[in-house]
Amino acid sequence: MNTPTPHAALRHLESPDEWRACLPLMQELRPHLADADEFVQRLARMHRENYRLLAAVNDGRAVALAGYRYQENLIYGRFLYVDDLVVESSARGSRWGAQLLGALDDLARATDCARLVLDTGLGNALAQRFYFRQGLLTSAIRFSKPLKGTTS
C-alpha cells in the first residue's frame, strides 16, 4: 500500500507531459476520458480558465489527484470548487485523499474563500462517507440535463 509520509510531496502538475502521465489515474474517476490527446487539450483549455491539478506524488508518480478552481457566485461568494478528486485504487485508505483535501482547505483559507465545495454522485456512498469524515456536509442537490448526448 502507498502510505503517505507525514509530508508527502504535493505539487501542481503544469505541463502537458505531466497531464498525459496522470491520465490512467484520472480514468479511475472519469473512465470516459479515453483519448490522451483530447485529455491534454481539455486540460490545457481548463488550465487557461484557472483549473489547477494538484497531485500527491509517491516514488515519482502521482497516486492521487485533486483538480480545482476558484470561483465566485451569489450563493457562496468566493469559493474553491473541487472538480476532481481521485486516489489510485490500490492506495485508497492510505490518507492521500485526506491530505489533498487538507491542502485544498489550506489554499481556500489562504485566498479568503468562504467555502470549499465539491459534488459527488448520489450513488457514491463510499465517497460520501469519506467527505463527511473530512468535515464536508451536504448542502444541495445539483440538477442537470445533457445537451449533446455526452457525459463528458
Side-chain angles (χ1 to χ4, degrees):
M1 186 177 290
N2 294 315
T3 304
T5 61
H7 298 288
L10 297 183
R11 66 180 185 84
H12 285 96
L13 304 182
E14 303 286 350
S15 75
D17 288 339
E18 291 175 318
W19 299 336
R20 185 178 303 277
C22 76
L23 175 59
L25 176 53
M26 186 62 82
Q27 285 174 318
E28 291 191 32
L29 179 66
R30 312 275 184 231
H32 63 276
L33 299 173
D35 182 83
D37 290 334
E38 170 56 28
F39 174 66
V40 169
Q41 291 167 10
R42 187 178 294 191
L43 280 178
R45 289 189 304 269
M46 292 167 59
H47 196 261
R48 287 190 297 271
E49 296 171 357
N50 299 315
Y51 175 90
R52 303 294 307 275
L53 192 57
L54 183 63
V57 178
N58 190 37
D59 293 330
R61 65 180 185 81
V63 295
L65 299 169
Y68 70 95
R69 64 185 85 217
Y70 296 101
Q71 296 182 347
E72 186 168 0
N73 65 23
L74 297 176
I75 298 169
Y76 304 131
R78 181 172 166 75
F79 65 101
L80 186 145
Y81 182 76
V82 182
D83 292 69
D84 312 292
L85 182 64
V86 61
V87 176
E88 188 176 77
S89 59
S90 65
R92 291 187 187 135
S94 299
R95 309 253 335 123
W96 290 109
Q99 189 170 0
L100 282 171
L101 273 179
L104 295 176
D105 186 277
D106 291 345
L107 286 169
R109 290 175 190 276
T111 55
D112 202 31
C113 289
R115 289 180 183 258
L116 185 144
V117 177
L118 60 79
D119 294 324
T120 192
L122 290 173
N124 195 346
L126 290 176
Q128 292 166 23
R129 286 199 324 248
F130 169 74
Y131 296 137
F132 283 129
R133 285 193 313 270
Q134 302 308 310
L136 284 87
L137 302 175
T138 305
S139 61
I141 296 176
R142 172 169 285 171
F143 292 91
S144 68
K145 69 178 181 179
L147 300 177
K148 290 187 176 183
T150 181
T151 60
S152 54

